[in-house]
Amino acid sequence: MYLFKNFYLLNPKVSGIDFFKGSILVKNGNIVEISKEQNLETKYETAEIIDGKENSIIMPGLIQSHIHLCQTMHRNKAEEMPLITWLQKEIWPFESSLDRKRMGKSVILALKEIIASGTTSVLDMGTVHEQETIFEIVKKIGFRYTGGKAMMDATPDAPVSMQEKTKTSIKESMDLYYKYNNSNDGLINYALCPRFALSCSNELLKEVRELSDQYNIIIHTHASEHPEEVVFIKKKSGYGNVAYLENIGALNNKTVIAHAVHLDNDERNIFRDINFGIAHCPATNLKLGSGVAPISSYLKEGRRVGIGADGAPCNNTLNLLQEMKLASLLQKGINNDPTLTPAEDIIRMATISGADILGKSSSTGSLEIGKNADMIILNMDTPQTFNWKSNPSSAIVYGADASNITSTMVKGRFLYRDNVFSKEFQELEQEFSK
């Protein structure tokens, strides 16, 4: 049991953000009390006291709505090329080379980076094999993870080990679902991950939708990321990327689409009608020359938008604080309007909106009694966050960086405390170095 006192609490809500000086009691993994009182030690004498000394913020952990943990070891090796070339020449060959050891190293490296920069939950897409290694690692660490193996049954230009049969891809995915969904005390959940329309058959995409409807499984895919991709889909089907998926019956409101940079008006209407989620990945979209998704418009229309760092080979960092700043500044700059995507909206994208997209609003995304204690501590006594009390949301979005994050907790357990990782990381690093 932990009693956090003398902290400032920043709590995103569906509308607005609460900010006040207060205390939080965490017991058995959950938030059991939130109070503006500071002298609660006599009430909870057995709790370990953690004193914020009035210079730190506690807020909900950040949620990445799109990431590829498996790609991290290919950081800085796939540079200056557009999406399709990048996939064919770099990413698919790299992913095909991943054995258990290399997958483990990639995932551990990624988790250390994202946890130390405040992420407590992800929606991840693996590759077509070694998904169990990912589950094994996140389970031992105690990280909140939703994801699954990539599904690719129509990619003749990919390495042979990446080419799947439709029935095999579906069977392997569902076997993993039965084994891991809602496991590790609810921290691990499965997502069906058809990679994107150019790598998946109509049969697979339709079957994924049916399984999602039947078992209430998230569909995690990419769409409308790069103009070249959109042109390929148009030539193939006569439809835009999202319109094509909708036309074959591949979308539902449990779908999460990474990117959605290039939606036409009809597709914007599909977005509204189906109410799927979008994961915005600004750094990746810039680095691959894909463009800038119009998320300020999506937000004004009441759409569900989260945020993610994507993969290390196309970013090259997995720090969500960087994505948050870019997401806000890009909309202001390209629209010549400094009022767009204010800091509070960006914090909601990275917390409460991300939880909604992942179907986890009842357990994470905000500081509420009864929810799991997925929380991060930021030391705000730094030059880049000077005057933080006057506008804490702006201080976090525009000024804070990973060095401000001192501790990261998932379900009441510290994975990173006072800039030190939990012992499980050292154990895993030793295991995967053999």
Side-chain angles (χ1 to χ4, degrees):
M1 183 164 59
Y2 298 103
L3 176 59
F4 299 85
K5 72 169 190 175
N6 294 323
F7 282 88
Y8 283 82
L9 311 184
L10 187 145
N11 188 32
K13 302 186 296 183
V14 174
S15 177
I17 286 182
D18 284 339
F19 180 69
F20 59 93
K21 183 179 171 184
S23 300
I24 294 183
L25 182 71
V26 172
K27 183 178 181 181
N28 297 328
N30 296 325
I31 298 170
V32 297
E33 184 168 346
I34 299 174
S35 174
K36 293 185 178 180
E37 295 180 41
Q38 295 301 315
N39 299 312
L40 300 179
E41 291 98 322
T42 56
K43 187 176 178 182
Y44 300 108
E45 293 180 353
T46 61
E48 178 181 345
I49 308 298
I50 299 174
D51 194 336
K53 299 179 181 178
E54 301 187 12
N55 64 8
S56 295
I57 286 176
I58 290 179
M59 65 176 287
L62 306 179
I63 297 172
Q64 299 217 29
S65 303
H66 178 65
I67 199 168
H68 295 267
L69 300 178
C70 69
Q71 294 178 357
T72 312
M73 283 187 68
H74 208 58
R75 191 195 309 262
N76 298 319
K77 290 190 173 183
E79 302 300 309
E80 327 300 353
M81 59 185 72
L83 174 67
I84 302 301
T85 304
W86 177 81
L87 287 169
Q88 293 172 336
K89 291 187 177 297
E90 294 288 342
I91 299 308
W92 291 342
F94 166 73
E95 288 186 12
S96 73
S97 75
L98 287 170
D99 56 16
R100 182 180 182 276
K101 183 175 179 179
R102 283 167 58 80
M103 174 66 87
K105 287 183 175 181
S106 272
V107 173
I108 294 165
L109 190 63
L111 287 172
K112 289 184 77 172
E113 181 180 5
I114 64 176
I115 288 169
S117 53
T119 293
T120 56
S121 179
V122 298
L123 177 58
D124 177 51
M125 182 180 291
T127 186
V128 298
H129 53 277
E130 292 296 340
Q131 180 64 34
E132 291 208 59
T133 303
I134 301 178
F135 285 129
E136 173 189 339
I137 291 169
V138 295
K139 178 180 180 180
K140 181 161 187 174
I141 288 172
F143 187 71
R144 190 179 298 278
Y145 176 93
T146 302
K149 71 176 291 297
M151 306 174 79
M152 298 172 60
D153 72 331
T155 320
D157 52 347
V160 173
S161 65
M162 300 282 286
Q163 298 179 31
E164 300 184 288
K165 300 291 185 183
T166 305
K167 290 183 179 179
T168 302
S169 182
I170 291 168
K171 181 182 185 303
E172 289 180 356
S173 296
M174 290 307 294
D175 285 347
L176 289 165
Y177 165 80
Y178 293 128
K179 186 172 182 178
Y180 290 103
N181 188 61
N182 200 31
S183 64
N184 204 27
D185 199 22
L187 288 174
I188 295 175
N189 284 273
Y190 200 78
L192 291 163
C193 298
R195 191 155 203 150
F196 69 150
L198 291 177
S199 67
C200 299
S201 68
N202 287 11
E203 180 185 355
L204 184 142
L205 292 167
K206 291 177 182 178
E207 179 69 12
V208 163
R209 160 69 191 278
E210 291 176 8
L211 290 167
S212 172
D213 289 342
Q214 182 177 354
Y215 293 96
N216 194 32
I217 311 174
I218 284 176
I219 300 171
H220 182 199
T221 191
H222 306 79
S224 297
E225 179 176 357
H226 192 280
E228 184 182 17
E229 168 203 2
V230 175
V231 168
F232 280 142
I233 297 293
K234 198 98 172 180
K235 286 182 179 178
K236 173 184 174 180
S237 68
Y239 292 95
N241 200 330
V242 169
Y244 162 69
L245 293 172
E246 193 274 338
N247 182 257
I248 65 171
L251 300 176
N252 61 15
N253 63 2
K254 290 180 284 294
T255 302
V256 182
I257 291 179
H259 308 302
V261 179
H262 303 285
L263 302 188
D264 60 29
N265 288 334
D266 289 340
E267 292 176 308
R268 296 278 285 266
N269 290 333
I270 293 169
F271 186 12
R272 178 199 65 211
D273 294 342
I274 295 178
N275 194 30
F276 53 78
I278 280 180
H280 180 43
C281 305
T284 287
N285 295 157
L286 292 174
K287 188 163 184 280
L288 293 176
S290 300
V292 179
I295 63 159
S296 59
S297 296
Y298 296 160
L299 292 171
K300 280 185 177 180
E301 294 165 7
R303 305 286 79 83
R304 298 191 299 152
V305 183
I307 191 165
D310 204 342
C314 59
N315 190 315
N316 294 13
T317 174
L318 304 179
N319 174 5
L320 201 65
L321 289 168
Q322 172 184 277
E323 303 303 306
M324 292 163 68
K325 182 173 182 176
L326 273 176
S328 180
L329 298 186
L330 279 169
Q331 299 304 305
K332 299 175 191 299
I334 64 173
N335 294 290
N336 304 118
D337 186 349
T339 69
L340 295 179
T341 50
E344 290 190 355
D345 284 357
I346 298 298
I347 286 177
R348 279 193 289 271
M349 283 173 58
T351 55
I352 197 166
S353 181
D356 177 49
I357 287 170
L358 269 62
K360 294 295 178 182
S361 294
S362 63
S363 55
T364 191
S366 59
L367 305 177
E368 295 181 49
I369 293 172
K371 284 193 174 185
N372 292 165
D374 290 6
M375 312 188 311
I376 57 176
I377 298 175
L378 296 90
N379 170 30
M380 303 302 284
D381 187 19
T382 62
Q384 67 266 27
T385 51
F386 184 68
N387 284 333
W388 58 276
K389 292 177 187 175
S390 64
N391 198 323
S393 297
S394 292
I396 291 168
V397 172
Y398 304 128
D401 57 35
S403 69
N404 289 93
I405 308 294
T406 62
S407 299
T408 300
M409 170 179 277
V410 174
K411 205 168 186 178
R413 182 171 169 269
F414 282 110
L415 309 188
Y416 181 71
R417 183 173 183 180
D418 296 331
N419 303 303
V420 177
F421 291 101
S422 64
K423 62 181 177 60
E424 286 79 10
F425 277 98
Q426 184 177 358
E427 293 169 357
L428 283 165
E429 286 174 327
Q430 291 174 347
E431 176 183 346
F432 283 93
S433 66
K434 296 176 183 177

